[in-house]
Amino acid sequence: MTVVEVLCALAIDGIVVLIVRGIPEVDAAWLFLGTLIAVNAVFEVIVCTRLSWLGGRKRDFENAVSLTNPGPVLPTQGESLCRSFDWGLLSLLVVPTLVAALVWVPWFALWPLTLLPGRLSAGV
């Protein structure tokens, strides 16, 4: 669901930024995309570490105890998807990103993409 929330935020931010500021310059795009790739690489490395205070989850998975009967604990597939969409996270992705993209650099509308590597690697 994080992917869906990020795509919704990108759609909202992208449309508003294109309407208000127009198509941004390409030179700024290369700088921003390079920064975005570097930030994504850092998040991927941090999530795969054992340092829990930095967001690493490896220790949590190593210490987890498997359930003998997971049936009563796990929700159904449809219920799990419906409950996992978070409107609060969507608003936290849209509002500050939109303000920064309108005031500072239009390419800042792509900032929600930096959340994906950490969330996806944690899910995997």
Side-chain angles (χ1 to χ4, degrees), residues 14-52:
I15 290 170
V16 172
V17 169
L18 283 176
I19 290 171
V20 174
R21 297 205 51 187
I23 298 174
E25 296 178 19
V26 177
D27 293 338
W30 290 113
L31 176 66
F32 186 80
L33 288 176
T35 306
L36 188 65
I37 290 169
V39 168
N40 283 338
V42 169
F43 278 128
E44 282 292 331
V45 170
I46 289 174
V47 167
C48 295
T49 64
R50 304 181 101 228
L51 304 171
S52 60

